[in-house]
Amino acid sequence: MIKPSSPAPKRPDKPAKKPRESRIGQLLSALSHKLFLVIMSVVLIAAGAGITYVIQQDAWAQKAHHEYQKQLVDKRIDLMERTALLMSKSLAVQDMQKTSKKSALAAIARLGLDPGSIVDVITESLDKQTLAKCRFLESQAEYETLLKLNAIFFGDRTRRVVKEMMKLNPWWSVDAAQRAKLVAALDHDFFQDYAASP
């Protein structure tokens, strides 16, 4: 009997040959690949520059803040020194005021001894009083200026004490308790703000 013939084994299909790209196609493909690399390089460089800028900006801001804090501390220390010095001058100004009054009384007493020198005594007395008044006004201006600067450069506690002290007239009538209160307020505000700064 005749055996049925078995189908011939199938040969695997040969992959179809890709049509070869033309030179222009190859050139465009290479250019697009290089263009992609250039674009990616530009993007990475821009991202790196942006990150560097942000880091530098933060460093500049920290440096500026540190410099501001340093200047503020220096100014506060200067104001504290000037205020303490002026407060200690209040006793000297009180003595100067008493001396001025005694000098005026002595001049009046001399008039009784020598009525002919009235013009000289009055002129001398007016000169001394004018000089004393100028010194008093100068010290009053310095006092008010320092208190206002303290109110600006220090905190709320100092502002409250300054407000009370600005009502005193004349300023050299500030007593030891008020001077101590001002110094304590300056000290408190200085260290509170200094401790709070980063």
Side-chain angles (χ1 to χ4, degrees):
M1 177 161 154
I2 302 182
K3 290 184 182 181
S5 65
S6 62
K10 282 188 171 183
R11 289 186 183 174
D13 291 338
K14 289 186 181 180
K17 282 188 176 182
K18 291 183 181 176
R20 197 172 156 181
E21 283 187 66
S22 65
R23 287 206 173 255
I24 293 176
Q26 289 175 350
L27 181 63
L28 287 176
S29 177
L31 281 176
S32 67
H33 179 70
K34 288 180 181 178
L35 182 61
F36 174 76
L37 290 177
V38 168
I39 290 172
M40 287 304 295
S41 297
V42 168
V43 167
L44 290 174
I45 289 171
I51 291 170
T52 302
Y53 175 75
V54 168
I55 292 170
Q56 283 289 344
Q57 189 177 21
D58 186 48
W60 293 329
Q62 286 179 356
K63 183 178 178 182
H65 179 73
H66 176 71
E67 195 62 34
Y68 167 77
Q69 289 292 74
K70 182 183 178 306
Q71 289 174 356
L72 181 62
V73 167
D74 290 345
K75 183 65 176 175
R76 284 178 170 180
I77 289 171
D78 178 55
L79 284 171
M80 289 174 82
E81 289 172 351
R82 288 173 56 194
T83 301
L85 182 64
L86 183 66
M87 290 296 117
S88 67
K89 278 185 186 178
S90 67
L91 296 175
V93 174
Q94 287 175 10
D95 287 342
M96 190 169 67
Q97 185 182 30
K98 289 175 189 174
T99 303
S100 175
K101 286 179 182 177
K102 285 179 185 177
S103 177
L105 290 173
I108 291 171
R110 279 187 300 176
L111 278 177
L113 298 174
D114 184 15
S117 64
I118 192 166
V119 174
D120 293 338
V121 170
I122 291 174
T123 304
E124 179 185 341
S125 179
L126 285 176
D127 287 346
K128 286 181 181 179
Q129 286 180 2
T130 302
L131 184 59
K133 187 71 171 174
C134 287
R135 288 182 183 150
F136 295 144
L137 290 174
E138 191 176 288
S139 68
Q140 181 71 29
E142 183 181 5
Y143 172 77
E144 289 177 5
T145 301
L146 274 175
L147 286 185
K148 287 176 183 175
L149 286 171
N150 285 331
I152 291 169
F153 283 96
F154 288 89
D156 291 333
R157 190 168 175 181
T158 300
R159 285 186 196 97
R160 285 191 298 271
V161 173
V162 164
K163 189 175 181 181
E164 291 172 17
M165 292 181 78
M166 290 294 280
K167 295 175 185 174
L168 298 174
N169 193 11
W171 78 267
W172 49 87
S173 64
V174 173
D175 63 20
Q178 290 164 322
R179 287 192 299 266
K181 192 175 179 181
L182 176 62
V183 170
L186 292 171
D187 183 57
H188 173 269
D189 287 344
F190 176 81
F191 285 109
Q192 180 181 352
D193 290 350
Y194 187 68
S197 66

